[in-house]
Amino acid sequence: FLRWNDSPQRVGIPAKIYVVTGESLEELEGTSVYEPEIKDVSVAFDDTMVFGMEAGGNLGIESLVDGIKDKGLVVIVTEHDEKTIRKYLPKGENRYDYVLVRSKIPFEGLWRPLEPSEKAHIKVLGAIARYYPQVFTYEEAKAVVPEGSLEAFEEGYKNSIHGVMLEKGAVREKPNWPS
């Protein structure tokens, strides 16, 4: 983007972003990819993403669970109850666990900043630490949480709703556009 404030996620537009984690800088070298084929965890800070997302490059609607590994984790920030969200959860090529983090959706409208008191992103860290410690443990996550956000971290760790999606669906083929 030409300017710092042109980036979609900085102006409140949900965006697909990938994070690679590791123990050391050397371990991370050469791991940068545009879109990983296999994902351990997928996080939706906007619960409408369970219906799918328009991808870049004219790839059509992509599912939140595309590429999620077997027994991977899908985290959804929502104010809805589990019965409502479960009805719309996408079927993936693999079985996956899901966690519902109770919070206001941080993107309640374009150009509106994240409400500081809600701390949905910190609650998500707590939920991942509890239900998918392969990414980071409770102690590792808690060590990087700012002091004023420890209550939100604990809430995400203790109060998130956990379930399992056992139903499998067809794998969606991405178009193979000529280069």
Side-chain angles (χ1 to χ4, degrees):
F1 299 98
L2 297 176
R3 298 178 306 208
W4 185 84
N5 63 345
D6 286 342
S7 180
Q9 67 270 23
R10 291 197 180 102
V11 294
I13 299 169
K16 286 172 48 172
I17 300 172
Y18 300 98
V19 178
V20 178
T21 60
E23 296 291 324
S24 66
L25 203 51
E26 291 78 28
E27 186 181 342
L28 297 177
E29 283 185 18
T31 60
S32 177
V33 292
Y34 176 68
E35 184 167 348
E37 290 183 29
I38 300 173
K39 303 167 191 92
D40 293 307
V41 179
S42 183
V43 179
F45 280 97
D46 181 339
D47 58 8
T48 62
M49 289 182 167
V50 298
F51 300 111
M53 302 159 280
E54 183 70 41
N58 296 319
L59 296 175
I61 301 294
E62 290 188 350
S63 171
L64 179 63
V65 299
D66 279 356
I68 199 82
K69 71 191 283 185
D70 192 41
K71 298 181 184 170
L73 182 68
V74 174
V75 182
I76 302 166
V77 175
T78 186
E79 293 182 82
H80 297 289
D81 59 69
E82 182 180 13
K83 185 179 178 185
T84 303
I85 294 294
R86 173 115 182 137
K87 187 169 39 173
Y88 298 108
L89 279 176
K91 295 176 186 171
E93 60 184 298
N94 294 312
R95 165 220 179 274
Y96 62 87
D97 288 54
Y98 64 87
V99 174
L100 305 182
V101 175
R102 307 293 298 162
S103 188
K104 283 185 178 177
I105 298 169
F107 311 109
E108 289 185 324
L110 297 180
W111 306 100
R112 289 181 66 189
L114 183 69
E115 194 172 313
S117 63
E118 200 51 43
K119 298 183 175 144
H121 58 301
I122 302 294
K123 292 178 185 177
V124 165
L125 284 178
I128 294 171
R130 179 171 183 185
Y131 294 107
Y132 209 80
Q134 300 92 311
V135 174
F136 44 75
T137 65
Y138 174 85
E139 291 78 20
E140 290 168 337
K142 190 174 179 181
V144 298
V145 172
E147 210 163 299
S149 302
L150 288 174
E151 188 177 318
F153 175 77
E154 292 292 338
E155 184 181 334
Y157 187 84
K158 294 177 182 170
N159 299 331
S160 298
I161 300 163
H162 176 255
V164 178
M165 181 58 147
L166 296 171
E167 300 172 51
K168 293 184 179 180
V171 180
R172 188 184 72 83
E173 298 254 344
K174 292 185 180 181
N176 189 11
W177 302 116
S179 351

